[in-house]
Structures are given as C-alpha cells and as structure tokens.
Amino acid sequence: HKPAKATRVRSVRALAAEQRAVSFFDAMVRQAATDDIRRAAEEMRNEEVEHVALVQAWLQKVPKPGAEWAVDPDPPRYD
C-alpha cells in the first residue's frame, strides 16, 4: 500500500501546485499592462485550469489510503 499512498500524496501536492498556477496567471490577467500580456496570461491560466481537471480526474482513480496509512511499521528509535 505504500506506493498507492505515495502516489496519492504526490497527486494531492500536484493538484495544489496546479491550483496555485491558476491563481498566479489569473492575477496576471487582472494586472496585465498590455493586451498581449493579458492574452498570454489567459492562455496559461486556461491550460492550468485543464491541468487541475486532469489531476482531479486522476485522484478519482488513485485509491485513498486506509485508516492505517499513518502507521509506521518500523518507527525510528531514539535511544
């Protein structure tokens, strides 16, 4: 189950990164100094919106970890 857990964690992180990218380019759209910059930022934002949808769809396919996901079968020893 460790690979599934790792895959899910990485996918959640990827989703957060894509959502941050949408916010970044959305801000650029609103603050663009020229129409060319605004159009480029809109294009990038739209691509990031697609990426968000792709990662969300992927997350529907990745199994959620069970209740024991945080149990470390080999915890570190500090003695």
Side-chain angles (χ1 to χ4, degrees):
H1 292 280
K2 285 185 181 183
K5 179 178 118 180
T7 299
R8 182 143 188 105
V9 168
R10 288 183 183 121
S11 298
V12 169
R13 288 180 183 158
L15 178 59
E18 298 295 349
Q19 290 168 329
R20 284 191 306 273
V22 170
S23 295
F24 174 80
F25 288 113
D26 195 48
M28 287 188 68
V29 167
R30 291 190 311 273
Q31 300 168 6
T34 68
D35 288 340
D36 287 340
I37 293 172
R38 185 173 16 270
R39 281 191 294 273
E42 286 173 341
E43 183 177 340
M44 294 300 294
R45 180 197 56 204
N46 294 344
E47 287 183 22
E48 298 303 333
V49 167
E50 289 177 21
H51 296 166
V52 166
L54 288 170
V55 176
Q56 288 173 331
W58 170 253
L59 279 166
Q60 296 299 315
K61 298 175 186 178
V62 176
K64 293 180 181 179
E68 76 291 343
W69 74 268
V71 175
D72 187 348
D74 185 24
R77 296 187 181 146
Y78 299 107
D79 20 350

